Amino acid sequence: MVETVLFFIFGIAAIFGAISMVWARNPVYSALGLMLTMFSIAVFYVSNAGHFVAAVQVIVYAGAVMTLFLFVIMLIGVDKSESRKDDLRFQRPAAVGLLGLLIAGVLIAGSAAWTTGTRQPGADVNGTIENVGDMLFRRWLLPFEITALLLIVAAAGAIALAYFKPGDEEGDAA
Amino acid sequence: MMGFLEDLLGNVFWQAVIKSVAVLVIILVVALLIVWVERKIVSDMQNRVGPMRAGPFGVLQTLADGLKLLFKESVLPRKIELGAYMAAPIAAMVPAFLIFMTIPIGRPFTVGETVVTFQGADLNVALLFILAMSSMAVYSIVLAGWASGSKYPLLGGVRATAQMISYEAAMGLSLVPVIMFASAQLGGASPALGTMSMSQLVELQQGSFRGFIPGWFIFWLIPSFVIFFISAVAETNRAPFDLVEADQEIVGGYHTEYSGFRFAMFFLAEYINMFNVSAIAVVLFLGGWLGPDFGLPGWIAWAMPLFWFFLKTFILVFIFIWIRATLPRLRYDQLMTLGWKRLIPASLVWLLLFAVVTAWRRFGAPWS
C-alpha cells in the first residue's frame, strides 16, 4: 500500500520534473526540474530496498545538477530567459510521434511476460550496503580497481587536454 | 495507559508519526536554546550581558524574536523569482530535519513487545544519507541567492556552492576511516562486513580499554575528528568560514532579501545544522549516548543516555560558538587553500596510513 502511494506521488513528481526540465523558459527551473526527477527516482530505489543506490543517486546527481546551476548563472547570466523561437520546424511533430512510439513500446513491453532471476539468498532488505560492499571489495575487486584506474586516467586526460596548449613544452600554461 | 501506549508504539505508522512530531519539537526547542546560548556565550566573551529581559537570564528571548518574525510582514521584493524564492526556505529546513531523523539520541527501550529506538529511522546507509542531505542543503542557499534578484545574495549563493562542495569532499574522506575502523571492530562477527548504521556505530563504542578510557572512536581517529570538525564548521557556514553571509562584505548574503518568517526559517536551519553536525561528531567519535548511569534506579537510568548525548553535543556546540567569538573571518583564497591544499591531502594521507595499519592489525604483516 505504502509503495503504491509513494509510486503515484513520486511518479507524478518525476514526470512533472522531466516535463518542466524541457518546458521551462528559465534554465534554472530546468535544472530544478532535472533535480526533482532524479530525487523522485531515488525514492523509487528506496521503495525497492535499494538504499545504497538511492543515497548515491542523490549524492552524485545533486552534485551534478549543482554544477549545472553554476553553468547557468555564469554562462547565461542571471536574468535571461531562453527564447522560444523554433528553428527546426519538424521537431515538435517529431517529438509527438516519438512520444507515441514510446507509449506503444511501454504498453507492448508491459503486456508481455517477463522472465526474472530468482532472488539471491542473503540479499535481505536491510543489508544492501553490506552486500554491495561485499561484491565490490571481495568478489569483483580487480574489475572495480581497474575501473577506478580507467576513470582516473580519463580525468587526468581531460585535464591535460583542457589545460596544456599545443606547442607548450613546459606545460605551465596557467 | 500502558496498554494504550503499547498499542500505539506497536503500530509502525503511529510510531513513525510520533517520532516525526517528537523530532520536530526537539529540533525546534534545541535551535531556540542554541540561539540563546550563543548570544549569552558571545556576550560573555565580549564583556556584555546579552539578553536579560525575557524570562530568567533572557532564555525566552529567542522565542520572543521568533514570534515577532512570525507576525512581521513578509516583504516580497519586486525582482524576485517567486517560485524559487518561496521554495528556498523550505529547502533549507527539510535536509536539516531529515539529518536529525537519523541520529540516535538515546538507548533503545522496550514497551511491552516492541523495541522503541530514540531515532527517527535507523538507516543502513545513514552516513551516505547524511552526506546526500548535506549536499541538498546547498540548494536552498543557491536558490535563495539566485531568486532574490539582487547582487549581494547572488554573490553569497555562488560563494556557498564553491565552499560547501569543496568541504564536502574533505568531510566525506574524513569519515572513511570511521567506517574502516567500525569494520575492523566488527571483525569477528558473522557477517564481518562492517556497518554504516548510526545505532550500530554507537554500540561498537561500548566498553573501555585499560579500565578507565572509554572505547570511543576518537581515541583511534583523532585526525579524522579534527578534519571532520573543521569541515563541519565550513559546511554550516559558521565563522570563521561564514563568507556566505559575511555581513561586512555582502550585507547578509543569501538571506539579505528575506524577511519575516522566511528569514527565520533560514536562521533556524543554520542552527539546526550546527546541532546536527555536532551530534554526528558525537555519534561517530564520542560514543553517542553512551555514558555511565551510576546504577541509578528506574527512569533516571532510562534518561541518562539522553543526558549524556545532549551534554556531549552541547559541548561541541560550545566549541562552535567559542571559535566564532575568537577567530576572524578567512579570506576567500585562504578558504579554498585550506580546503583543497590542506584538508583533502591531509585526510587522504591519514586514510592511507589508517588503511595500512588496519590491514596490518587484521591480516598480519605483508611478509608473514
Side-chain angles (χ1 to χ4, degrees):
Chain A
M1 207 278 280
V2 183
E3 213 177 313
T4 322
V5 173
L6 276 181
F7 175 79
F8 277 108
I9 293 174
F10 284 96
I12 290 167
I15 292 171
F16 172 75
I19 291 174
S20 71
M21 145 94 207
V22 187
W23 209 263
R25 277 164 189 271
N26 196 315
V28 171
Y29 284 112
S30 290
L32 272 185
L34 183 63
M35 201 207 51
L36 181 63
T37 305
M38 297 300 180
F39 193 81
S40 311
I41 292 172
V43 175
F44 293 149
Y45 291 150
V46 171
S47 72
N48 285 310
H51 299 157
F52 175 73
V53 190
V56 170
Q57 162 100 0
V58 174
I59 292 175
V60 172
Y61 287 106
V65 176
M66 203 69 227
T67 18
L68 270 183
F69 259 119
L70 280 186
F71 274 132
V72 168
I73 290 172
M74 291 185 164
L75 296 181
I76 301 182
V78 179
D79 41 24
K80 294 237 179 64
S81 48
E82 198 185 8
S83 99
R84 283 210 158 178
K85 207 158 80 51
D86 197 355
D87 287 332
L88 300 171
R89 297 207 167 273
F90 56 87
Q91 71 179 357
R92 286 191 190 182
V96 174
L98 286 176
L99 186 69
L101 269 182
L102 177 73
I103 291 172
V106 167
L107 287 179
I108 292 168
S111 62
W114 285 71
T115 338
T116 47
T118 47
R119 226 175 102 84
Q120 291 281 321
D124 58 331
V125 174
N126 285 323
T128 56
I129 192 164
E130 287 88 343
N131 288 321
V132 170
D134 193 27
M135 284 293 157
L136 277 187
F137 293 108
R138 286 197 176 146
R139 182 133 183 233
W140 304 105
L141 180 65
L142 194 62
F144 177 68
E145 293 294 337
I146 291 171
T147 316
L149 191 68
L150 258 179
L151 285 175
I152 288 175
V153 169
I159 290 172
L161 282 178
Y163 195 69
F164 303 129
K165 294 192 182 78
D168 187 14
E169 293 286 314
E170 295 297 312
D172 52 0
Chain B
M1 178 59 204
M2 221 48 201
F4 173 67
L5 206 62
E6 209 178 309
D7 285 347
L8 206 59
L9 290 171
N11 186 314
V12 182
F13 291 101
W14 282 112
Q15 199 185 350
V17 168
I18 292 169
K19 278 180 177 176
S20 307
V21 173
V23 163
L24 190 65
V25 170
I26 291 173
I27 219 167
L28 287 177
V29 171
V30 157
L32 291 181
L33 267 180
I34 291 179
V35 176
W36 173 72
V37 162
E38 170 164 42
R39 294 180 68 172
K40 284 310 249 191
I41 292 173
V42 170
S43 61
D44 233 30
M45 288 180 176
Q46 296 170 342
N47 262 335
R48 300 183 280 118
V49 287
M52 285 299 281
R53 300 279 172 185
F57 298 100
V59 70
L60 297 177
Q61 183 65 45
T62 333
L63 195 64
D65 287 345
L67 283 176
K68 182 197 75 177
L69 285 171
L70 192 60
F71 287 120
K72 263 177 93 164
E73 183 191 357
S74 222
V75 183
L76 294 181
R78 192 152 21 102
K79 289 180 76 179
I80 54 169
E81 284 280 340
L82 195 65
Y85 183 87
M86 296 288 193
I90 302 170
M93 283 294 274
V94 170
F97 178 72
L98 287 180
I99 289 177
F100 190 78
M101 290 285 281
T102 65
I103 295 170
I105 64 171
R107 189 197 303 276
F109 61 98
T110 48
V111 178
E113 300 277 293
T114 37
V115 181
V116 182
T117 52
F118 271 110
Q119 189 177 16
D122 188 11
L123 302 178
N124 70 331
V125 288
L127 278 186
L128 286 177
F129 178 81
I130 287 165
L131 287 178
M133 283 306 128
S134 70
S135 69
M136 297 296 283
V138 193
Y139 277 98
S140 70
I141 295 179
V142 179
L143 266 187
W146 172 78
S148 295
S150 158
K151 286 190 181 60
Y152 292 128
L154 186 68
L155 278 174
V158 175
R159 280 183 181 189
T161 28
Q163 175 176 337
M164 289 169 91
I165 290 176
S166 311
Y167 279 84
E168 215 157 76
M171 191 184 222
L173 282 172
S174 74
L175 292 183
V176 182
V178 180
I179 304 301
M180 268 161 48
F181 189 68
S183 160
Q185 294 289 91
L186 272 175
S190 56
L193 286 170
T195 180
M196 264 195 199
S197 134
M198 298 295 255
S199 62
Q200 278 194 48
L201 284 171
V202 172
E203 278 158 23
L204 281 175
Q205 301 180 50
Q206 267 165 350
S208 60
F209 72 130
R210 299 206 192 289
F212 62 96
I213 304 174
W216 300 346
F217 284 178
I218 188 173
F219 297 111
W220 284 270
L221 297 162
I222 288 178
S224 268
F225 177 72
V226 171
I227 294 168
F228 177 82
F229 198 74
I230 295 174
S231 31
V233 177
E235 275 285 293
T236 47
N237 303 319
R238 298 278 306 169
F241 301 106
D242 60 343
L243 290 101
V244 173
E245 44 195 293
D247 312 47
Q248 294 87 344
E249 300 163 22
I250 51 174
V251 194
Y254 62 93
H255 54 56
T256 305
E257 303 289 350
Y258 281 87
S259 52
F261 207 67
R262 294 204 181 84
F263 167 74
M265 278 168 86
F266 279 119
F267 194 71
L268 282 177
E270 184 182 328
Y271 283 86
I272 295 170
N273 277 330
M274 190 165 113
F275 183 80
N276 277 341
V277 288
S278 306
I280 294 164
V282 164
V283 167
L284 295 182
F285 298 103
L286 296 172
W289 43 261
L290 297 172
D293 58 5
F294 306 114
L296 287 165
W299 67 272
I300 306 181
W302 178 82
M304 276 312 260
L306 291 170
F307 169 74
W308 287 118
F309 174 81
F310 281 104
L311 180 71
K312 289 171 186 174
T313 312
F314 267 89
I315 287 173
L316 285 189
V317 168
F318 172 75
I319 296 175
F320 262 91
I321 297 165
W322 190 10
I323 291 173
R324 183 211 142 161
T326 312
L327 295 176
R329 184 178 304 129
L330 267 71
R331 231 171 37 223
Y332 196 74
D333 59 318
Q334 292 170 331
L335 176 89
M336 285 295 138
T337 311
L338 179 68
W340 288 100
K341 295 188 186 164
R342 305 272 187 280
L343 285 184
I344 291 180
S347 50
L348 280 173
V349 168
W350 164 243
L351 172 59
L352 280 178
L353 258 175
F354 192 78
V356 169
V357 171
T358 310
W360 199 311
R361 279 183 59 208
R362 195 158 162 196
F363 305 114
W367 52 82
S368 64

